Amino acid sequence: MSKLQIKFDIQSFWHIGCAEEGGAYVDSLMLKDRNGLPYLPGRAVKGLLRSAFSLAESKGWFQAPEELSNLTDYIFGSEGEGLATQGLLTIDSASLGQNEMEFFVSNNGAAEQLFDVHFSTAINENGVAQEGSLRSMEVAVPMVLVCDIDIQENSLKPLIGVETIKSWLKSVCPLVSEFGAKRTRGYGQVVVTAE
C-alpha cells in the first residue's frame, strides 16, 4: 500500500451543503464535522478525482495494459458488488490541518470566523429583483484542506504498480479547479496538488 496526500488550496468562498435549512439564519447550511468545522467528504474528493482522471484517460494521458478496457473503473471502482468492482483507493475526507483543528476546537467561538452568509436573488428582464426569490447560503472562507489516499495493489488483477497509479493521480490534480455549489458563480475555486 502507498499513501498520497492531496491538498485543496481553496481560493474563494465555497459551499458544500448538508441538505438542511437554517431557519431564519440561512436557507442552506454548510456541511460541518462533529466539531462544527467545514470539510469536504471523501466521496466528494473521490468524485472530483475520478472526473479528472476520466477526462485525462479520454485524452490518452495514460498507457494502460491492453486487458484493461476502462482504467478509471479499475482504479476508482465501478457499480456492482464483489471484489471485482472495488477500486484501489481509500480516500479520507479533506479537512483542516491538525494544528488548525486543535486551535478551533480549543478556542470557543473561533470557528464562527470560518463562515459567512451570502444572499442572492433572481433578476427579471427589467433588471428588478423578482419577488420571493431572495435566498441565503452559508459559505466557508478560503482555506487549505488536506486528505490522505491509500493506494492498494489489486490482488485479483495486479496489472499496474501503485507508484504508477500514484504518479497518474498527481498528474490529474491540476484538472480539478472548482467544486461545490455555485461554482459557475465563482465559488469553490481551488488549486489541488498532491505529495
Side-chain angles (χ1 to χ4, degrees), residues 4 6 49 52 168-177 191-194:
L4 188 66
I6 304 288
L49 292 176
W168 288 348
L169 290 173
K170 285 181 180 180
S171 72
V172 304
C173 283
L175 297 177
V176 179
S177 60
V191 175
V192 181
T193 55

Side-chain angles (χ1 to χ4, degrees), residues 120-125 127-135:
S120 63
T121 188
I123 304 295
N124 67 20
E125 64 276 2
V128 178
Q130 292 181 13
E131 190 172 322
S133 66
L134 181 63
R135 296 286 180 267

